[in-house]
């Protein structure tokens, strides 16, 4: 039987997480279960799971937990040769799980670990400076800076757990009132400025909203979306675009595909990966040629 390790966040809230915790005793017969005990612990546990010979390493949590586990597997030089990724979606939005067609119910998600399709996808990375030096961090679905990263900085944990995705909308409205410098965007194909920049490797943003229609999981490119201005008019245009089935139609967004793009800003500006702020600009996002293996639904 395939050796499988499930790394889960015991602080996850909501019906799905409660249902998962109720199944832990029965799951322990088939899987090795490891609860996280601190922020960043999932990354260390995933790296250790590779070293211990687990063939499937499962992230049980939200997109942030998935990002930690992906980076933990990537920390091992042979991580993606030795192991593959599984996902049990317990988080608030679970965008990457939706991208893979993973069911929201835990039983269905567990079934994919036995009966699903194993695919290879590009594994892009963000490269940025910290007080300890240059850091490189992988992401699988989304990166960005500007209005969304400023909204993430304003979201409070208790509000997020109570309101779900609506908490980000409220935080975004608050972020609109801030005066900020534009972000410089530079790639081999184009250079421009914007108030919101999103980098996609998958199609979805914020749920099942197709923000990156040209994104291909294994073509070696990232899709860049730049909103030159962000304000109530652009948010209204975003809403009209959602109703019309084309999120970009009324926003003035500029889109292109690239292998690498650098974001910088004259003022302090955070950037996010998978919905969590992880550092500050400047940052370079690149499709680095590395692949991950992940369980999902055959498309």
């Amino acid at each position: 039987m395939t050796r499988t390790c499930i790394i889960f966040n015991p602080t996850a809230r909501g019906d799905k997480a409660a249902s998962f915790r109720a199944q832990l005793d029965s799951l322990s017969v088939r899987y090795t279960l490891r609860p996280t005990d601190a922020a960043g612990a999932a990354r260390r546990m995933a790296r250790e799971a590779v070293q211990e010979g687990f063939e499937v390493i499962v992230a049980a949590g939200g997109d942030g937990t998935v990002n930690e586990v992906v980076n933990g597997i990537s920390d091992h030089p042979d991580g993606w040769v030795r192991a593959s990724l599984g996902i049990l979606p317990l988080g608030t939005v679970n965008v990457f799980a939706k991208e893979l067609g993973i069911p929201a119910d835990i039983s269905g998600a567990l079934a994919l670990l036995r009966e699903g399709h194993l695919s290879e996808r590009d594994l892009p990375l963000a490269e940025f400076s910290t007080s300890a030096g240059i850091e490189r961090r992988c992401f699988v679905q989304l990166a960005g800076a500007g209005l969304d990263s400023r909204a993430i900085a304003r979201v409070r944990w208790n509000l997020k757990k109570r309101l779900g995705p609506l908490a980000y909308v409220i935080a975004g409205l608050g972020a609109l009132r801030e005066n900020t410098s534009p972000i410089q965007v530079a790639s081999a194909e184009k250079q421009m400025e914007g108030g919101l920049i999103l980098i996609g490797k998958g199609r979805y943003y914020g749920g099942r909203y197709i923000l990156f229609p040209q994104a291909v999981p294994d073509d070696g490119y990232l899709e860049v979306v730049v909103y030159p201005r962000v304000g109530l008019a652009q948010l209204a245009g975003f809403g009209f675009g959602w109703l019309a089935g084309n999120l970009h139609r009324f926003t003035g967004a500029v889109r292109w595909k690239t292998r690498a793009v650098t974001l910088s800003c004259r003022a302090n500006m955070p950037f996010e990966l998978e919905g969590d702020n992880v550092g500050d600009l400047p940052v370079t996002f690149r499709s680095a040629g590395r692949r991950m293996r992940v369980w999902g639904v055959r498309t």
Side-chain angles (χ1 to χ4, degrees):
M1 185 173 68
T2 301
R3 292 191 67 200
T4 301
C5 174
I6 297 179
I7 298 171
F8 67 98
N9 180 1
T11 65
R13 302 289 182 88
D15 294 339
K16 288 184 294 182
S19 174
F20 175 70
R21 286 194 293 271
Q23 298 179 52
L24 288 181
D25 289 340
S26 61
L27 292 176
S28 63
V29 177
R30 177 173 292 182
Y31 307 110
T32 298
L33 306 172
R34 295 192 175 165
T36 60
D37 53 9
R43 181 170 183 170
R44 168 180 53 80
M45 290 177 172
R47 181 176 63 250
E48 292 171 350
V50 174
Q51 294 171 342
E52 294 169 25
F54 285 98
E55 299 159 274
V56 180
I57 302 173
V58 181
D63 291 305
T65 302
V66 171
N67 184 268
E68 285 193 29
V69 170
V70 164
N71 277 278
I73 298 173
S74 300
D75 285 341
H76 193 287
D78 297 322
W80 295 108
V81 175
R82 297 188 181 189
S84 58
L85 173 72
I87 297 174
L88 298 181
L90 305 182
T92 304
V93 185
N94 305 300
V95 181
F96 190 50
K98 291 180 173 66
E99 188 79 32
L100 296 169
I102 296 174
D105 67 282
I106 300 306
S107 296
L110 283 168
L112 284 183
L113 300 180
R114 303 184 299 272
E115 306 160 4
H117 172 63
L118 185 62
S119 64
E120 287 194 353
R121 302 176 68 96
D122 293 338
L123 189 57
L125 59 81
E127 185 176 83
F128 57 103
S129 297
T130 69
S131 58
I134 300 296
E135 183 169 341
R136 296 172 181 85
R137 185 157 174 170
C138 301
F139 64 101
V140 296
Q141 181 75 19
L142 173 75
L147 180 63
D148 74 327
S149 61
R150 292 189 288 117
I152 289 168
R154 296 173 67 99
V155 171
R156 296 295 173 259
W157 186 85
N158 58 343
L159 191 65
K160 176 181 174 182
K161 294 303 178 184
R162 190 168 74 249
L163 300 180
L166 182 58
Y168 291 99
V169 177
I170 295 172
L173 292 173
L176 280 177
R177 296 194 295 266
E178 301 172 350
N179 292 320
T180 61
S181 299
I183 296 171
Q184 286 74 51
V185 187
S187 74
E189 298 81 3
K190 192 181 293 289
Q191 297 187 19
M192 62 180 299
E193 291 185 341
L196 170 60
I197 293 84
L198 298 172
I199 315 295
K201 189 58 206 175
R203 297 167 300 159
Y204 293 148
Y205 174 79
R208 293 190 184 275
Y209 306 116
I210 298 179
L211 191 68
F212 307 101
Q214 298 179 16
V216 179
D218 57 358
D219 68 348
Y221 284 87
L222 301 170
E223 187 169 355
V224 182
V225 178
V226 177
Y227 296 85
R229 298 180 180 83
V230 288
L232 292 176
Q234 283 71 37
L235 289 183
F238 197 86
F240 286 127
W242 174 67
L243 293 173
N246 183 343
L247 290 178
H248 302 298
R249 183 174 178 182
F250 304 105
T251 62
V254 178
R255 296 185 291 136
W256 70 93
K257 297 186 74 169
T258 187
R259 293 189 184 275
V261 59
T262 298
L263 308 185
S264 58
C265 187
R266 290 186 294 274
N268 291 333
M269 179 69 68
F271 73 90
E272 57 100 349
L273 302 178
E274 327 291 13
D276 288 324
N277 288 341
V278 299
D280 295 312
L281 302 188
V283 60
T284 296
F285 303 106
R286 67 177 81 251
S287 186
R290 197 171 188 183
R291 293 285 186 90
M292 63 183 292
R293 297 188 299 141
V294 59
W295 292 93
V297 173
R298 184 186 295 272
T299 56

